[in-house]
Amino acid sequence: MTARNRPLALITGASAGIGATFARALASRGYDLILVARRRERLEELARELEARHGACVETLPADLADDAGLRKVEERIASPAPDLLVNNAGFGTHGRFWEAPLETQDRMHRVHVIATMRLTHAALAVMVPRGTGAIINVSSVAGFAASPGNVSYCATKHWINAFTEGLYLELKSAGSQVKVQALCPGFTYSEFHDVMGRDRSLIPQPWWLQPEYVVNASLEGLERGELFVVPSFRYRMVVRAIRILPDGLRRRLTQVYARRRKLE
Ligand SMILES: NC(=O)c1ccc[n+]([C@@H]2O[C@H](COP(=O)([O-])OP(=O)(O)OC[C@H]3O[C@@H](n4cnc5c(N)ncnc54)[C@H](OP(=O)(O)O)[C@@H]3O)[C@@H](O)[C@H]2O)c1
């Protein structure tokens, strides 16, 4: 809680897309906010909007989460006063075969999706668990249930987020803690994600696209219910179910056909 007795949320990747949508949704629900991303002007513009529209107290914390110094700055901010909700959302995609894509980009992806999520979660739980309240949403993906050519590091890092969040869920339950954790696993969602990747959105048929507001609402409703995995939309829940029950060989063959059709490699 802040000095004004309002809940406080820290959101990474808040300068665009799903992160900015979380910021708007949480401000409208009475949260004060700490917004993290690299683009300072974007964060400041959003902060002004949320202060004017919702009377939220919004702090901007520009930081590159692939960078040790940036990450330390956010860890230190989490320590005091600790947020009631941490949303580990920052992320990006790449395309191209693993061995042909630049190693530097793969390395940055692991730092942002894995190392930053792990370290910020550790910093937050160090305060939330003794306090007995708090919640963490780790933004994963439907890709976290799959493996796909052209998407090797992305799927692998999102698998890690799913396994990490499930492990924490079990540890918190077995410790009798009220702190909640969630892995939010959206499918294709309108945001800047595909622009940053340089991907043509029209390769994915329109019915597969989700609005970020829909994704964020599903996450916050799932959090109320204490759901571990939130997969927004019936269509994507069926995809995840199919991935889980198909025999491995068939699943791999179907994935290769799909990736070729969607020119994902
Ligand atoms: N859109 C989809 O189809 C989709 C589907 C499933 C899962 N997701 C996941 O949803 C999350 C949000 O993505 P989005 O769709 O909202 O994409 P987006 O619109 O491109 O937003 C990505 C956010 O992450 C931030 N970010 C990226 N690298 C960063 C770094 N090194 N340090 C700090 N911040 C960084 C960006 O801010 P700056 O550039 O200002 O740093 C931006 O605010 C990601 O984890 C993504 O994997 C997206």
Side-chain angles (χ1 to χ4, degrees), residues 12-20 36-40 42-43 63-67 88-93 108 112-113 139-143 154 158 161 184-196 209 212:
T12 70
S15 61
I18 295 171
V36 178
R38 290 166 300 182
R39 286 171 292 176
R40 176 191 296 273
R42 284 284 199 99
L43 297 178
D64 183 346
L65 295 174
D67 170 73
N88 282 309
N89 161 77
F92 63 96
R108 287 179 71 77
V112 175
H113 293 182
V139 181
S140 178
S141 170
V142 165
Y154 189 75
K158 296 297 185 178
I161 293 179
L184 169 62
C185 305
F188 296 112
T189 305
Y190 289 113
S191 72
E192 294 178 12
F193 186 89
H194 291 82
D195 307 318
V196 173
W209 287 93

Side-chain angles (χ1 to χ4, degrees), residues 133-180:
T133 59
I136 299 177
I137 296 170
N138 291 328
V139 181
S140 178
S141 170
V142 165
F145 299 100
S148 151
N151 232 351
V152 170
S153 288
Y154 189 75
C155 290
T157 55
K158 296 297 185 178
H159 265 272
W160 181 88
I161 293 179
N162 285 354
F164 175 66
T165 311
E166 185 167 9
L168 288 174
Y169 176 91
L170 294 171
E171 264 189 6
L172 289 162
K173 289 270 176 229
S174 67
S177 173
Q178 297 300 309
V179 175
K180 295 177 181 175

Side-chain angles (χ1 to χ4, degrees), residues 38 63-67 91-92 94 102-116 157:
R38 290 166 300 182
D64 183 346
L65 295 174
D67 170 73
F92 63 96
T94 57
L103 177 62
E104 202 264 336
T105 319
Q106 310 286 327
D107 185 76
R108 287 179 71 77
M109 179 180 281
H110 282 76
R111 286 169 191 267
V112 175
H113 293 182
V114 177
I115 304 297
T157 55

